[in-house]
Amino acid sequence: AMRRYVRVSIIALSMNAGLAGICAAQSVVSPELVTDRPDFTESSEVVGHRVIQIESGLTFEQTDDTTRQVTAPQLLVRVGVGQRFELRFAGDGFVSQSVETPAGLERAGGHSDAEIGAKWKFFDQPAVGFDMAVIPFLSLPTASDGFGTSGYDPGFKLTVARELPRGFGLSGNFNAASVTGEAGRAWEREASVSLGR
């Protein structure tokens, strides 16, 4: 089945937790805002020491002519702990599904699983020619029936990125997770490549 996605970024907000005692007259340089939501391909960048970044978005997914799903607010909170490490707290929020059947439109809705994780950036482009990070995570069984899994599901994402000439950038992810299903656990694997400007 062919899937079509529309992803919209609603909010990307960054706060430096260390600025509370700084006078308004001082000049403060904020780090560049690099977001991980709401797209599928995660960046290799971390938010920076003592920075709290809140990201949100929504996804509209159409699997075929009869099945649609809207997910919002897809919240991600990133907390910088040092220059190469961040803590991550995430959840897709509310999921609304509709299926066109011969008997009419059937709708269902519920909230998604929550996720905790971290990101560690271990390679930098100036040193080795590309950026690379790993994101270990644990999905928690907090979803409504039918909108998540019934287990604690671990996984990881391996990210790679390289800046290209003329403002272009190339990035990719390899994701793997051990997911709880009706027949037990199974490994899910996904990969993506993104070219941006």
Side-chain angles (χ1 to χ4, degrees):
M2 175 151 175
R3 292 182 173 222
R4 290 174 283 192
Y5 297 96
V6 176
R7 298 176 192 254
V8 179
S9 179
I10 296 174
I11 296 172
L13 173 66
S14 180
M15 299 176 286
N16 189 323
L19 297 181
I22 296 177
C23 297
Q26 288 182 314
S27 174
V28 177
V29 177
S30 296
E32 180 183 350
L33 186 64
V34 178
T35 63
D36 281 351
R37 284 292 181 271
D39 61 352
F40 177 79
T41 304
E42 308 278 3
S43 75
S44 294
E45 298 299 321
V46 295
V47 294
H49 186 52
R50 300 174 81 178
V51 172
I52 300 169
Q53 186 164 305
I54 302 168
E55 302 171 16
S56 186
L58 68 89
T59 298
F60 172 80
E61 179 180 345
Q62 185 168 338
T63 307
D64 51 40
D65 289 338
T66 63
T67 307
R68 293 182 180 90
Q69 179 171 297
V70 177
T71 308
Q74 294 183 308
L75 187 65
L76 172 63
V77 179
R78 302 166 64 189
V79 180
V81 183
Q83 295 303 318
R84 293 183 169 270
F85 190 78
E86 70 183 31
L87 299 174
R88 298 163 66 91
F89 309 93
D92 281 344
F94 189 78
V95 181
S96 175
Q97 297 174 337
S98 62
V99 178
E100 188 72 43
T101 67
L105 190 64
E106 293 183 10
R107 295 179 189 257
H111 59 277
S112 68
D113 286 334
E115 186 178 288
I116 57 173
K119 184 191 284 189
W120 174 49
K121 182 177 181 182
F122 53 91
F123 286 148
D124 286 312
Q125 184 167 331
V128 298
F130 55 90
D131 295 324
M132 189 174 262
V134 65
I135 305 170
F137 63 87
L138 178 65
S139 178
L140 308 173
T142 59
S144 304
D145 287 341
F147 291 92
T149 69
S150 60
Y152 293 85
D153 299 332
F156 70 91
K157 301 176 182 182
L158 185 63
T159 74
V160 64
R162 179 173 171 79
E163 291 181 17
L164 301 173
R166 301 181 187 229
F168 284 93
L170 182 65
S171 60
N173 285 178
F174 173 74
N175 305 342
S178 175
V179 179
T180 307
E182 292 179 10
R185 284 202 170 270
W187 276 97
E188 285 186 354
R189 292 171 298 279
E190 305 167 317
S192 70
V193 176
S194 177
L195 177 65
R197 185 170 192 281

